[in-house]
Amino acid sequence: MSNPDADSAQTAQTAQMTGTAPAPQAPVRRLRRAERREQILDAATRAFARAGYAGTGLDDVAAEAELTRAMLYRHFESKADLYRAALDRACLRLAEATGTGVDDYDANTIPALLRAAAADSDGFRLLFRYAAREPDFRDLIDSITTASREIAHRNLARRIPEGPWLDWAANLIPTMTIEAVIAWLDAGQPDPDHAADRITEAVHGVMAAAHPTA
């Protein structure tokens, strides 16, 4: 059986003879609680964005984060608690990237949405692809959708006469825009400098279709 002290001495002696020093071991840095929580949320967002809530277990999240389930439970009470926290963070990031309290659409709205999606693609997919289809968590998305439709209706009313086609366009445009952004993410984010122009053209097509014919 080897002697650890002898091995250490032998290593030091060899280093002196060869003129080389053993590589120092990097100290293991203990993350602060807030940093660990963010690490878990990052991993959870990636894992949930691949398979949704039902298709993802805490073991999947733990493996993604390279932690134990016990460590997850130190920060989140349950999978539902973790999922809700991931959704809330994704929503907050989206609001910060696109601007909070915005009541009007302008030329920067779609470019800002694309930048937000590119910066947090997993969070964007989690919000609009999965949570929207999960009854226990879709309340957050419903509130976003309702607000988007109200803003769209108010802005489109300046160009489209009041009536069912205005309602149609106000309901369709926010949904179509989100789906266009997700499709752009899935396609590998092609032509980022002109992607917003392409989606805007599609929006203008809906607006033109909503106008009454002569």
Side-chain angles (χ1 to χ4, degrees), residues 10-141:
Q10 180 65 39
T11 300
Q13 184 179 13
T14 301
Q16 291 177 352
M17 294 175 61
T18 60
T20 61
Q25 292 186 347
V28 177
R29 187 170 73 92
R30 294 179 62 87
L31 296 181
R32 292 178 297 179
R33 183 173 181 82
E35 292 176 325
R36 181 68 75 190
R37 189 176 190 275
E38 286 299 301
Q39 177 195 10
I40 294 172
L41 285 175
D42 287 341
T45 299
R46 292 192 299 270
F48 285 129
R50 286 196 296 265
Y53 180 75
T56 304
L58 282 179
D59 286 336
D60 299 316
V61 177
E64 185 72 29
E66 299 182 347
L67 298 171
T68 64
R69 282 175 63 111
M71 181 64 74
L72 299 187
Y73 280 120
R74 292 180 188 177
H75 296 266
F76 301 95
E77 295 180 358
S78 63
K79 186 174 83 165
D81 182 39
L82 175 56
Y83 193 69
R84 174 66 68 174
L87 290 176
D88 288 342
R89 190 182 70 159
C91 187
L92 178 61
R93 287 181 171 180
L94 179 64
E96 290 174 344
T98 58
T100 57
V102 177
D103 291 330
D104 291 310
Y105 289 137
D106 58 28
N108 190 53
T109 299
I110 292 177
L113 190 64
L114 283 169
R115 288 194 299 270
D120 187 15
S121 59
D122 289 328
F124 197 89
R125 288 188 178 96
L126 191 62
L127 279 173
F128 294 109
R129 171 172 286 167
Y130 289 106
R133 303 170 186 171
E134 294 162 346
D136 291 341
F137 301 99
R138 66 169 300 150
D139 57 307
L140 179 61
I141 305 308

